[in-house]
C-alpha cells in the first residue's frame, strides 16, 4: 500500500507531480530524559491495511482509513468496529475523490473536489460545510484541519479557482506563500475571511522558491500551532476571540535533518529537479500532551544514501520508510526543547492522534513489521519523563 502521507511528503499533487535551540537546552535534554513507552495496544478485527487518522474524544472512537481516504472504519476504545463504510463515486451524495478525512463534531467529514465538506454519521450523510466560493485543490490534506467554535467554521484555506497556477514561475510561489493558511466561515452571514498567515519573519517569505508547503496545524486551548511540513520549525499563534495573532516561531534542533534546497525566483523550474535528488525532512504533526508539546517528524534521506537505493524496486516505498522512521521532539510550556529523536515503534504509521487519556495512538503498518497479526493493531504510547 502506498501511504497517504508518502504522497504528501513527496509533494504529490493531483494531476501534476508523481513523485534553533541553544546549547544549554541540549544539556537539559540529557538531564531530563524522556521516552515514548508502549502502554497498551488494540487489535481491530479487520484484514487489510488501514491508517489511523483521527479521534473523537466525546465518543472515545477512532477513525481509520485506507490510502485513498475512500474506505473508512470507526472503532471504539476496545477495538470493536462501530462502522465500516465506503463512499459512493456516483449517485446521490457521491464523493468523486476524497481529499481529506477526519472528525468534526463527531461526524466523519470528507473534503470533496467541488462541494466543500460532506459529513456522515453511521454511513449516512447528515450535513455539509459549503465553501462559499469556487476553489481548486492540487494536494491531499494529511490532516483535515476543520473545527467549529461559536458560529465560526475554521478550515485550511482552499485556493480560489481564479488563482493562476504556474509552477515554473517564481511569481506564482511569491503569491502562494502569502495566501491565508487558515480561513473561517461565519455561518450566520456566509462571509469568509482569512485568519492565519505566515509571519513576515518566516523564511518562506525570503523571495526564494520553496516548493509547496503543506500546512498542518493543531488547536490547543487558546493557541494554534502551525507546521508547514517542509521546515524544522513551527509557528505559534494566540487566539483572541475569533482571530489568531502571531506570537513566536519555534526552531527545532534536530541532528542530521535533511534540508531541501530553495532556488531563486528566476529558476523556479529547477526546484523539483533538485528536490528529487534527496528526501527532505518533514515536520508532520503537533500535539499537546499534559504540560508538554510534541512535534513529530521524519529527518529525511540524504542524496548520498538515496543514490544507493533502487527507486524502481516495488519495495522502495517501504525501504524508504524503514530508513526514515517517525520521531518526536518535546517542548515545555514555554516552547523550550527538552527532548529530541524519541522513537516510535518501528512499524508505526504517521502519528495522528492523542486520546483523552493523553496517550499517543498510532496504527501499525504491517508492511514494515517482521511479524503478522490477525487484524489491525493500534499502539498506545505514553510520554514518560525518567
Amino acid at each position: 500500500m502506498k501511504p497517504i502521507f508518502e504522497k504528501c511528503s513527496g509533494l504529490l499533487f493531483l494531476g501534476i507531480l508523481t513523485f534553533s535551540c541553544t546549547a544549554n537546552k541540549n544539556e537539559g535534554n540529557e538531564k531530563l530524559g524522556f521516552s515514548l513507552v508502549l502502554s497498551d495496544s488494540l487489535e481491530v478485527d479487520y484484514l487489510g491495511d488501514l491508517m489511523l487518522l483521527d479521534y473523537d474524544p466525546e465518543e472515545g472512537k477512532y477513525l481509520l482509513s485506507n490510502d485513498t481516504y475512500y474506505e473508512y472504519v470507526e472503532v471504539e476504545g476496545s477495538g470493536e468496529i462501530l462502522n465500516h463504510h465506503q463512499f459512493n463515486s456516483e449517485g446521490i451524495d457521491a464523493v468523486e475523490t476524497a481529499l481529506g478525512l477526519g472528525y468534526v463534531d463527531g461526524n466523519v467529514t470528507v473534503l470533496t473536489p467541488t462541494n466543500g465538506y460532506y459529513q456522515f454519521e453511521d454511513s449516512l450523510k447528515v450535513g455539509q460545510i459549503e465553501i462559499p466560493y469556487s476553489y481548486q485543490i492540487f494536494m491531499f490534506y494529511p490532516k483535515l484541519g476543520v473545527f467549529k467554535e461559536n458560529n465560526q467554521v475554521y478550515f485550511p484555506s482552499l485556493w480560489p479557482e481564479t488563482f493562476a497556477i504556474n509552477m515554473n514561475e517564481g511569481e506564482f510561489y511569491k503569491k502562494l506563500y502569502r495566501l491565508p493558511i487558515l480561513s473561517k466561515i461565519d455561518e450566520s452571514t456566509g462571509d469568509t475571511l482569512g485568519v492565519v498567515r505566515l509571519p513576515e519573519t518566516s523564511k518562506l517569505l525570503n523571495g526564494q522558491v520553496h516548493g509547496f508547503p503543506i500546512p498542518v496545524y493543531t488547536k490547543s486551548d487558546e493557541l494554534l500551532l502551525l507546521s508547514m511540513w517542509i521546515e524544522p520549525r513551527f509557528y505559534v499563534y494566540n487566539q483572541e476571540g475569533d482571530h489568531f495573532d502571531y506570537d513566536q516561531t519555534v526552531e527545532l534542533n534536530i541532528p542530521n535533518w535533511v534540508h531541501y534546497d530553495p532556488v531563486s525566483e528566476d529558476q523556479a523550474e529547477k526546484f523539483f529537479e533538485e528536490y528529487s535528488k534527496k528526501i527532505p525532512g518533514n515536520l508532520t504533526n503537533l500535539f499537546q500532551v499534559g504540560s508538554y508539546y510534541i512535534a513529530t517528524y521524519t529527518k529525511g534521506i540524504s542524496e548520498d544514501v538515496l543514490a544507493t537505493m533502487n527507486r524502481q524496486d516495488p519495495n522502495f516505498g517501504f525501504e524508504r520508510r524503514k530508513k526514515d522512521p517517525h520521531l518526536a521532539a518535546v517542548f515545555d510550556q514555554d516552547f523550550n526543547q527538552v527532548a529530541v529523536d524519541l522513537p516510535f515503534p518501528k512499524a508505526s504509521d504517521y502519528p495522528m492522534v492523542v486520546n483523552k487519556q493523553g496517550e499517543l495512538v498510532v496504527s501499525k503498518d504491517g508492511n514494515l513489521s517482521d511479524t503478522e497479526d490477525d487484524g489491525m493493531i493500534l499502539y498506545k504510547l505514553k510520554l514518560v519523563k525518567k
Side-chain angles (χ1 to χ4, degrees):
M1 181 184 75
K2 187 178 182 67
I4 294 169
F5 295 95
E6 189 173 319
K7 300 176 184 177
C8 295
S9 61
L11 294 179
L12 266 178
F13 292 83
L14 294 177
I16 296 180
L17 302 176
T18 57
F19 189 75
S20 103
C21 297
T22 60
N24 61 348
K25 289 182 182 178
N26 288 332
E27 292 172 4
N29 293 349
E30 297 176 0
K31 291 178 182 177
L32 289 173
F34 288 83
S35 60
L36 292 174
V37 176
L38 182 65
S39 59
D40 197 3
S41 64
L42 298 177
E43 183 171 325
V44 181
D45 187 15
Y46 180 93
L47 294 177
D49 293 320
L50 295 176
M51 185 175 67
L52 179 62
L53 288 184
D54 210 347
Y55 172 74
D56 174 28
E58 294 297 322
E59 298 291 334
K61 58 184 179 181
Y62 298 92
L63 176 65
L64 299 92
S65 166
N66 68 352
D67 65 340
T68 63
Y69 296 134
Y70 218 70
E71 177 185 6
Y72 67 84
V73 171
E74 294 183 89
V75 176
E76 69 174 9
S78 66
E80 180 181 347
I81 293 177
L82 299 170
N83 183 34
H84 182 189
H85 181 61
Q86 182 170 321
F87 297 119
N88 296 318
S89 59
E90 298 178 349
I92 299 175
D93 303 332
V95 177
E96 178 184 353
T97 304
L99 297 167
L101 193 69
Y103 281 125
V104 180
D105 290 344
N107 293 322
V108 175
T109 303
V110 57
L111 175 59
T112 71
T114 57
N115 295 314
Y117 299 86
Y118 286 169
Q119 296 192 276
F120 292 80
E121 182 179 0
D122 296 332
S123 302
L124 298 176
K125 183 184 172 188
V126 294
Q128 182 176 353
I129 301 172
E130 297 186 39
I131 305 300
Y133 61 88
S134 298
Y135 60 87
Q136 54 184 326
I137 299 179
F138 288 89
M139 66 180 180
F140 293 88
Y141 282 79
K143 193 172 182 179
L144 191 69
V146 179
F147 61 92
K148 294 183 179 183
E149 291 185 350
N150 302 321
N151 289 326
Q152 311 296 319
V153 180
Y154 297 87
F155 65 101
S157 300
L158 305 177
W159 295 356
E161 196 172 58
T162 54
F163 182 55
I165 297 172
N166 188 332
M167 291 183 294
N168 291 325
E169 288 190 1
E171 188 65 23
F172 161 67
Y173 294 96
K174 182 185 292 186
K175 293 178 181 178
L176 171 64
Y177 304 145
R178 291 191 175 275
L179 288 177
I181 295 167
L182 179 66
S183 294
K184 68 170 183 174
I185 303 170
D186 188 321
E187 290 184 301
S188 60
T189 65
D191 294 338
T192 304
L193 180 68
V195 292
V196 171
R197 298 175 188 267
L198 285 173
E200 288 298 322
T201 54
S202 171
K203 293 185 179 181
L204 298 180
L205 302 181
N206 66 2
Q208 294 182 297
V209 174
H210 301 265
F212 290 89
I214 301 172
V216 176
Y217 55 82
T218 293
K219 177 71 164 51
S220 176
D221 296 327
E222 299 305 310
L223 298 179
L224 186 130
L225 313 179
L226 168 68
S227 160
M228 296 302 285
W229 195 270
I230 57 176
E231 305 178 291
R233 64 184 57 87
F234 60 91
Y235 306 92
V236 181
Y237 298 79
N238 290 315
Q239 184 173 11
E240 298 291 341
D242 58 0
H243 65 277
F244 295 85
D245 297 326
Y246 168 72
D247 179 60
Q248 63 175 302
T249 298
V250 181
E251 302 284 343
L252 276 74
N253 183 11
I254 301 176
N256 302 316
W257 175 277
V258 179
H259 294 267
Y260 69 90
D261 299 311
V263 300
S264 61
E265 285 187 59
D266 60 355
Q267 295 182 317
E269 72 282 356
K270 294 185 177 181
F271 178 83
F272 291 106
E273 178 184 341
E274 296 300 316
Y275 185 93
S276 66
K277 295 178 181 179
K278 53 188 171 183
I279 298 176
N282 297 144
L283 202 168
T284 58
N285 217 333
L286 298 157
F287 304 98
Q288 182 175 12
V289 176
S291 59
Y292 296 100
Y293 298 99
I294 295 178
T296 61
Y297 56 90
T298 55
K299 292 188 179 187
I301 300 176
S302 69
E303 184 174 345
D304 290 344
V305 174
L306 189 60
T308 67
M309 302 172 65
N310 181 7
R311 300 195 195 203
Q312 305 306 315
D313 188 328
N315 294 317
F316 169 75
F318 303 125
E319 292 303 316
R320 161 188 166 171
R321 295 185 64 204
K322 288 178 181 178
K323 289 181 179 293
D324 193 17
H326 303 289
L327 301 165
V330 183
F331 299 82
D332 66 18
Q333 288 185 310
D334 296 320
F335 295 105
N336 298 302
Q337 183 174 317
V338 295
V340 69
D341 287 357
L342 302 187
F344 288 84
K346 69 175 185 178
S348 297
D349 253 318
Y350 281 75
M352 294 293 294
V353 163
V354 171
N355 64 20
K356 60 186 177 184
Q357 286 77 39
E359 299 166 313
L360 282 89
V361 186
V362 293
S363 48
K364 178 180 179 180
D365 184 345
N367 297 293
L368 302 178
S369 176
D370 297 327
T371 60
E372 293 187 6
D373 303 292
D374 295 329
M376 277 294 306
I377 301 297
L378 301 182
Y379 297 123
K380 292 184 176 183
L381 306 167
K382 287 187 175 181
L383 178 66
V384 176
K385 181 178 175 181
K386 298 178 183 177

